[in-house]
Amino acid sequence: MDGMGTLGSVGEAGAPVRYSVETRWLHWSCAWLVLAQFVLGELMHRVPKALHGPIVSAHLSLGVLLAALFVMRVAWRVTGGRAIRFPARDGLAGWAARAMHGVLYLALGAEIGLGYLARWSGGKPVTAFGAVINSPFGPMSQATHHLFGSAHGWLAWAIMILAAGHVAAVLYHVRVVRDGVLRRMWA
């Protein structure tokens, strides 16, 4: 393969040495959207009132886009779209990598769900790029709204900490292990 197909580029023994274009695109698109969402989420509480509305609108629209990409990414992963195996995936290192990815997927899925619930529990629809997504639930209490909003905010910070750990692991592989892990996901 030439790196453009489902399995990515192929090494001498016929094993993929680089993730597919689709896998890399989904990974980096989600990563940049998560970072943008975090920044917008933190900004919306710290900007002058005149900027609050546009930042909330951007946060909601990018959140719906992230939700769609997240669903695509999970579907891609469970259907084997990212099929690539490495010796480093065995033993403790492999367990840690799988655990980190699993926790990141669970946390991101929960964060997306909490974002919708935080908005809907406040009696407001989720709006994205002009489209309106109304709540499928009835009215909720102020305490429930506060709970969803707080959980959404705390989980956002937890995801940033997990992502920083993920980046630290990549840098460890780049500088210490030198196994080309970043090249497989970068280009």
Side-chain angles (χ1 to χ4, degrees), residues 33-49:
L33 279 172
V34 166
L35 182 60
Q37 284 296 83
F38 180 77
V39 170
L40 288 170
E42 289 299 307
L43 278 177
M44 76 173 63
H45 304 292
R46 293 171 171 77
V47 296
K49 205 151 186 78

Side-chain angles (χ1 to χ4, degrees), residues 117-148:
L117 290 171
R119 185 74 176 174
W120 289 335
S121 65
K124 298 177 182 174
V126 173
T127 54
F129 306 107
V132 177
I133 306 168
N134 289 309
S135 174
F137 309 109
M140 296 183 203
S141 69
Q142 188 65 25
T144 301
H145 173 62
H146 180 72
L147 175 68
F148 287 142

Side-chain angles (χ1 to χ4, degrees), residues 100-123:
M100 174 62 88
H101 285 109
V103 169
L104 277 168
Y105 274 92
L106 287 173
L108 189 52
E111 180 69 355
I112 291 166
L114 284 168
Y116 280 87
L117 290 171
R119 185 74 176 174
W120 289 335
S121 65

Side-chain angles (χ1 to χ4, degrees), residues 11-96:
E12 293 175 24
V17 294
R18 184 171 65 171
Y19 287 98
S20 68
V21 171
E22 300 89 350
T23 300
R24 288 179 279 142
W25 185 85
L26 285 167
H27 175 272
W28 291 109
S29 296
C30 285
W32 287 112
L33 279 172
V34 166
L35 182 60
Q37 284 296 83
F38 180 77
V39 170
L40 288 170
E42 289 299 307
L43 278 177
M44 76 173 63
H45 304 292
R46 293 171 171 77
V47 296
K49 205 151 186 78
L51 295 175
H52 183 77
I55 289 176
V56 169
S57 179
H59 185 74
L60 291 170
S61 292
L62 292 180
V64 169
L65 180 60
L66 177 59
L69 283 175
F70 178 75
V71 168
M72 288 172 53
R73 186 165 182 192
V74 169
W76 182 252
R77 184 175 179 113
V78 299
T79 60
R82 59 86 179 107
I84 189 169
R85 301 281 181 245
F86 308 108
R89 301 288 277 193
D90 297 331
L92 183 59
W95 178 88

Side-chain angles (χ1 to χ4, degrees), residues 34 38 100 103-104 107-108 111 151-165:
V34 166
F38 180 77
M100 174 62 88
V103 169
L104 277 168
L108 189 52
E111 180 69 355
H152 184 63
W154 283 105
L155 189 52
W157 276 98
I159 289 170
M160 287 298 106
I161 292 167
L162 289 168

